[in-house]
Amino acid sequence: MSETASRGQDYESSLSHATAKVAEFEKRQGLAPRIQSTLHSSPALVPLIVLVLSIAVFGALLGSKFFSPFALTLILQQVQIVGIVAAAQSLVILTAGIDLSVGAIMVLSSVVMGQFTFRYGIPAPLSVVAGLACGTLMGFINGWLVAKVKLPPFIVTLGMWQIVLATNFLYSANETIRSQDIEANAPILQFFGNVIQLGSARLTYGAVFMLLLFVFLAYMLSQTAWGRHVYAVGDDKDSAELSGIRTNTVLISVYMASGLICAFAGWALIGRIGSVSPTSGQLANIESITAVVIGGISLFGGRGAVMGSLFGALIVGVFTLGLRLLGADAQWTYLLIGVLIIGAVAVDQWIRKASA
Amino acid sequence: MTRQTVQPVVEGRNIVKRYGHVTAIDHADFDLFPGEVLAVIGDNGAGKSSIVKAICGAVIPEGGTIKIEGKPVHFTSPLDAREMGIEIVYQQLALSPALSIADNMFAGRELRKPGIRGSLLRQLDKKRMEEFAREKLTELGLMTVQSINQAVETLSGGQRQGVAVARAAAFARKFIIMDEPTAALGVKESRRVLELIQDVRAKGIPIILISHNMPHVFEVADRVHIHRLGKRHAVVDPAKISMSDAVAIMTGALEPPPVAEQQLAPKAA
């Protein structure tokens, strides 16, 4: 060995003088790099800071009109639907996908819950289960097309958006089920509209469900193997496959979970608006993506924390209510949200450089 | 083959694989023996990747037999091979950049906490996985200790390669396949990886090393399997043949030595 080694390795003879250190970790110097690497490890920090700052600013400007239990819980009520849908969207975006069909799945699921109860006379709890199953099935179709047929998520969910929405209108015959009828015959459909009153604070079951859902997903994503696999698939699907993760199973499970969560959002939607309306929730797609992006989850997948999306949804809620209470034109809300979206993506790009 | 007394770890006979009109593996044989580093060299398109993929289940051969420790196997995916204790270090490393070193080492075989937190709540035992990862990396002399939760993307090329090798060494029970482990590395980092290969061999785990880098092959390999035109063309002893002759045999410029002079099995210890 020594003979051949010396023959082949002459060019490496100077290596004995080189340092033998291979794996050394330099501490990053300076404030900016340190902030960068902190944000790299806790990506939900930026939206949390923005959220706290915006509450503080509107609180200072509006005083107790804004900074009251009533107003703050009102924000929770107003963002509950978008928040739940954003949770579903977060899962999909973490896998480097996007789900444009979330709003349509939500509405179709709520229509199934309503129509099954009122058209077929099926007991309301069973109809709810049928609605949840419907959402999960739509999610499965998305996931199957993305994972097995290998179509881009954007195209799959763009198509499903149209298909599901059209199904929704065809099936419901564009017919709204009135709030009073639901209240009298199937109150369980409005379950998420129930309110816990604590002084002047009004917490709807829907808002509580949203908060619990985020806690549950945060646990799943950070503490279970499935969660690690979701990140690995979004980060680099081929690498994940090679290191032994069943990536197709992970993808399909994510889209199914997204569909199921959207169906829960549909149920919560009945609680929020009282009626079952096939024309509601049309903005859920874009609003959920907005919340996820402001929440610091990377559209390129594999990066971000699901709690960020909750903060993102709340930021939008705080701006909406705060500016309305200030008497500003609603367009200012959209303008500021637009700034936040671009700012959030710029921060994401900057944080990514910490890895280079 | 009369002098062959040791049972091979891998024994492939008459393996065939065609892609349309192209015969990637043409009745090829393959042997890996316990405790050795077997280098597989071959020109581009000679089919060296195909035969190694057939051994680890990434390619399903159409004909021939593959035995692992004497038992015939029919892998349908690399996961089957992995369950048997065969680990692969891919050229592109198969690491998830944003995940930590510990997460990467346990991708697809995470440990769960004991008791109800593991079985019902599916909670990962991060502490145990971190300890294990740290121990394995330290065993291979790779890491300073506080860095186990660092994202892989913050590591250098050599460090990443080290993580991939450590992962394979930690979980391999039968053997490890390494595909061009030094291709993307600098001189110093290559050196470290070659040392790693020797460390892994010292642990008694045989290694199949696919490489284009002749100096590296000749430094660490016990035997060199030369693949040409989809077949095993010759198996030579790197101590008895020059690099230029090996390359000449590989490219067809030189006839392989007669079978009696080849190194079809390791020298008796």
Side-chain angles (χ1 to χ4, degrees):
Chain A
M1 174 69 76
S2 58
E3 193 208 340
T4 45
S6 63
R7 247 196 294 148
Q9 303 299 336
D10 282 339
Y11 68 96
E12 287 179 334
S13 55
S14 62
L15 271 186
S16 53
H17 308 297
T19 68
K21 293 173 183 166
V22 176
E24 254 195 323
F25 298 91
E26 289 169 27
K27 275 270 166 275
R28 287 169 171 279
Q29 299 295 316
L31 189 60
R34 222 177 306 149
I35 293 173
Q36 201 178 16
S37 80
T38 306
L39 295 179
H40 192 255
S41 48
S42 345
L45 216 52
V46 180
L48 181 61
I49 292 167
V50 173
L51 177 61
V52 171
L53 279 180
S54 55
I55 292 175
V57 168
F58 283 114
L61 289 173
L62 291 158
S64 59
K65 200 157 56 147
F66 179 84
F67 215 67
S68 67
F70 174 76
L72 293 178
T73 49
L74 181 64
I75 294 172
L76 277 177
Q77 283 178 51
Q78 287 172 338
V79 303
Q80 59 179 334
I81 305 299
V82 172
I84 295 169
V85 176
Q89 191 69 261
S90 308
L91 287 179
V92 173
I93 288 182
L94 278 175
T95 66
I98 193 151
D99 193 341
L100 299 174
S101 62
V102 283
I105 294 177
M106 169 179 84
V107 176
L108 178 64
S109 302
S110 74
V111 163
V112 165
M113 290 176 195
Q115 294 291 345
F116 272 39
T117 309
F118 286 89
R119 197 189 296 180
Y120 309 129
I122 294 169
L126 277 183
S127 302
V128 168
V129 172
L132 296 178
C134 166
T136 313
L137 175 69
M138 296 303 122
F140 171 77
I141 296 172
N142 278 332
W144 184 80
L145 289 169
V146 168
K148 298 283 185 178
V149 190
K150 312 230 176 286
L151 299 176
F154 185 91
I155 300 301
V156 168
T157 58
L158 182 65
M160 282 295 283
W161 174 11
Q162 304 301 326
I163 294 168
V164 174
L165 206 57
T167 308
N168 160 55
F169 287 125
L170 291 170
Y171 175 65
S172 65
N174 217 347
E175 170 189 297
T176 299
I177 301 169
R178 292 190 312 155
S179 181
Q180 301 93 304
D181 294 342
I182 297 174
E183 217 174 318
N185 301 310
I188 192 173
L189 293 183
Q190 296 175 339
F191 172 78
F192 284 117
N194 289 328
V195 173
I196 308 167
Q197 189 87 39
L198 297 163
S200 62
R202 282 172 57 87
L203 275 175
T204 58
Y205 283 15
V208 174
F209 173 78
M210 172 186 74
L211 296 173
L212 292 178
L213 175 68
F214 273 100
V215 171
F216 172 72
L217 287 180
Y219 172 85
M220 290 297 287
L221 285 168
S222 73
Q223 297 295 320
T224 71
W226 178 79
R228 300 286 83 195
H229 295 174
V230 168
Y231 278 91
V233 168
D235 205 3
D236 185 338
K237 181 168 182 278
D238 295 335
S239 286
E241 181 82 44
L242 289 176
S243 51
I245 293 168
R246 296 178 193 274
T247 54
N248 285 347
T249 315
V250 173
L251 276 177
I252 292 177
S253 73
V254 161
Y255 282 90
M256 285 174 76
S258 169
L260 177 62
I261 294 169
C262 290
F264 270 107
W267 189 6
L269 183 67
I270 305 175
R272 174 94 183 113
I273 61 178
S275 58
V276 173
S277 161
T279 53
S280 57
Q282 298 297 333
L283 289 172
N285 279 349
I286 212 71
E287 286 177 350
S288 70
I289 296 171
T290 301
V292 171
V293 170
I294 293 179
I297 295 183
S298 168
L299 286 172
F300 303 105
R303 273 153 232 268
V306 69
M307 277 298 171
S309 298
L310 174 62
F311 302 147
L314 289 173
I315 289 168
V316 176
V318 166
F319 273 68
T320 311
L321 184 70
L323 289 168
R324 190 180 339 137
L325 290 178
L326 278 176
D329 191 315
Q331 294 307 324
W332 283 104
T333 310
Y334 296 117
L335 191 147
L336 284 172
I337 300 298
V339 171
L340 276 179
I341 291 174
I342 292 172
V345 175
V347 170
D348 175 47
Q349 297 288 13
W350 181 63
I351 292 172
R352 280 166 162 273
K353 286 194 196 137
S355 58
Chain B
M1 286 296 190
T2 46
R3 56 184 172 153
Q4 177 187 323
T5 50
V6 193
Q7 186 183 49
V9 181
V10 184
E11 186 179 10
R13 289 292 172 265
N14 269 318
I15 305 169
V16 179
K17 175 72 191 179
R18 295 185 193 86
Y19 297 103
H21 296 295
V22 182
T23 305
I25 312 176
D26 183 10
H27 301 91
D29 295 341
F30 189 93
D31 291 291
L32 176 72
F33 287 89
E36 70 170 352
V37 175
L38 175 77
V40 179
I41 63 171
D43 218 348
N44 286 340
K48 59 182 187 302
S49 286
S50 296
I51 183 130
V52 173
K53 280 181 180 162
I55 290 161
C56 71
V59 156
I60 302 167
E62 286 149 26
T65 57
I66 296 170
K67 290 182 189 169
I68 307 270
E69 290 179 341
K71 289 181 208 81
V73 292
H74 300 280
F75 296 141
T76 53
S77 92
L79 286 177
D80 295 346
R82 182 165 135 161
E83 265 158 39
M84 269 196 88
I86 298 166
E87 286 292 318
I88 307 160
V89 179
Y90 292 94
Q91 193 172 353
Q92 63 276 36
L93 291 183
L95 298 174
S96 297
L99 297 189
S100 73
I101 297 170
D103 281 340
N104 266 290
M105 282 191 73
F106 282 91
R109 53 186 148 211
E110 288 83 355
L111 305 175
R112 288 207 295 269
K113 285 203 169 146
I116 196 162
R117 290 168 77 186
S119 58
L120 188 69
L121 301 177
R122 320 292 290 174
Q123 194 173 12
L124 293 173
D125 196 338
K126 293 194 171 182
K127 197 159 156 274
R128 202 147 55 93
M129 292 196 289
E130 282 162 21
E131 272 165 18
F132 181 87
R134 193 177 293 147
E135 183 189 313
K136 290 298 164 189
L137 290 170
T138 319
E139 227 171 74
L140 293 174
L142 262 165
M143 286 297 150
T144 49
V145 183
Q146 66 273 27
S147 58
I148 209 75
N149 285 317
Q150 197 162 356
V152 160
E153 65 195 347
T154 61
L155 302 179
S156 74
Q159 291 168 335
R160 290 182 202 197
Q161 189 67 261
V163 172
V165 173
R167 173 168 72 181
F171 293 102
R173 297 187 307 277
K174 298 276 194 288
F175 60 93
I176 299 174
I177 297 169
M178 294 194 193
D179 188 3
E180 299 281 6
T182 57
L185 300 182
V187 175
K188 202 166 80 179
E189 294 183 318
S190 298
R191 179 108 315 272
R192 193 72 198 91
V193 169
L194 294 178
E195 283 167 23
L196 282 179
I197 292 174
Q198 278 156 342
D199 290 349
V200 171
R201 175 175 51 188
K203 288 176 67 184
I205 304 168
I207 294 170
I208 300 171
L209 169 70
I210 306 171
S211 184
H212 269 114
N213 188 313
M214 291 302 149
H216 292 168
V217 163
F218 272 67
E219 184 182 345
V220 297
D222 297 303
R223 299 187 302 128
V224 179
H225 170 130
I226 302 175
H227 215 72
R228 177 166 162 73
L229 303 175
K231 283 189 176 70
R232 179 166 73 180
H233 197 51
V235 183
V236 297
D237 180 348
K240 290 185 186 154
I241 190 169
S242 71
M243 266 185 240
S244 53
D245 282 355
V247 172
I249 294 169
M250 185 179 101
T251 53
L254 190 71
E255 282 298 307
V259 172
E261 287 172 28
Q262 290 189 21
Q263 202 69 44
L264 290 173
K267 284 164 278 192

